Amino acid sequence: MSCNEFIPSHPPETDGVNRSKIEFPEAYFISDGWLQDGPIEDHFAGSGSGSGSGSGSLLIHEPNDNRESESTGIGGRYAFKTKSEVEVLDDGYRWRKYGKKMVKNSPNPRNYYRCWKEGCPVKKRVERDREDPSYVITTYEGVHNHQRAS
DNA sequence: CGTCTTTGACCGGCGC
DNA sequence: GCGCCGGTCAAAGACG
């Protein structure tokens, strides 16, 4: 509960644009890679290591522009690696923690959050970096169906 | 009193 | 067919 500058409650609505830029101290975005057991570091290493650490901005990349998922209820997936101590920051959306799970790949537990709003298919998954506890990997799934309500 | 958090257990899916 | 893992839900408890 110290540095709570900003938290991407959800990726910016990319209307036709599958690319957005957000001000962030230090964060990396995972594209289609997705968070799985292993490739995580690979993606981070490739995205951050190559362009240098902490450039100052976060580049959001939309893996698939197919909105077909709407039928299923899921919009898209977004993963962020941020240097933060807190995962739950109220930036306009409320998140309700609905589960904690220990992943074999990480000595740290994984937290599951869901949009507090009813009818909001948005889900959030937060996990601490395996080698950098100071870093948190936040994964957003879906798009908000309602306006930001606080 | 209300709200939100936390833990455990359960279920489903997938792999071998 | 069985095992494993991830994911979700529920209830209780704690705190403000």
Side-chain angles (χ1 to χ4, degrees):
Chain A
M1 314 166 188
S2 298
C3 47
N4 46 10
E5 305 181 12
F6 156 80
I7 260 291
S9 69
H10 89 309
E13 300 172 7
T14 53
D15 284 313
V17 186
N18 24 332
R19 211 165 73 179
S20 294
K21 201 158 91 176
I22 299 181
E23 288 183 51
F24 215 89
E26 202 171 342
Y28 304 104
F29 175 72
I30 310 175
S31 56
D32 202 292
W34 188 232
L35 295 178
Q36 291 260 323
D37 314 333
I40 302 176
E41 300 176 9
D42 229 14
H43 284 287
F44 283 136
S47 294
S49 181
S51 49
S53 47
S55 41
S57 56
L58 170 62
L59 190 70
I60 299 184
H61 221 95
E62 198 155 329
N64 302 320
D65 48 71
N66 343 333
R67 290 291 169 79
E68 59 180 294
S69 314
E70 267 182 37
S71 304
T72 57
I74 305 296
R77 283 175 293 202
Y78 313 85
F80 300 96
K81 183 183 178 180
T82 325
K83 183 164 189 168
S84 256
E85 294 183 32
V86 286
E87 315 95 11
V88 189
L89 293 173
D90 187 32
D91 77 322
Y93 290 102
R94 187 141 295 174
W95 301 94
R96 158 178 142 245
K97 185 184 282 183
Y98 69 87
K100 181 162 54 179
K101 190 76 180 203
M102 276 276 224
V103 197
K104 271 193 141 191
N105 233 37
S106 294
N108 306 305
R110 183 177 287 174
N111 297 299
Y112 296 90
Y113 296 89
R114 208 168 175 184
C115 190
W116 136 85
K117 188 88 176 196
E118 186 186 317
C120 217
V122 182
K123 286 186 284 188
K124 189 166 107 182
R125 189 176 309 148
V126 179
E127 183 187 355
R128 290 195 192 284
D129 193 295
R130 191 190 198 287
E131 300 189 4
D132 286 297
S134 328
Y135 285 83
V136 289
I137 300 166
T138 313
T139 307
Y140 295 92
E141 207 168 310
V143 184
H144 287 284
N145 266 328
H146 62 96
Q147 284 287 296
R148 299 163 80 169
S150 83

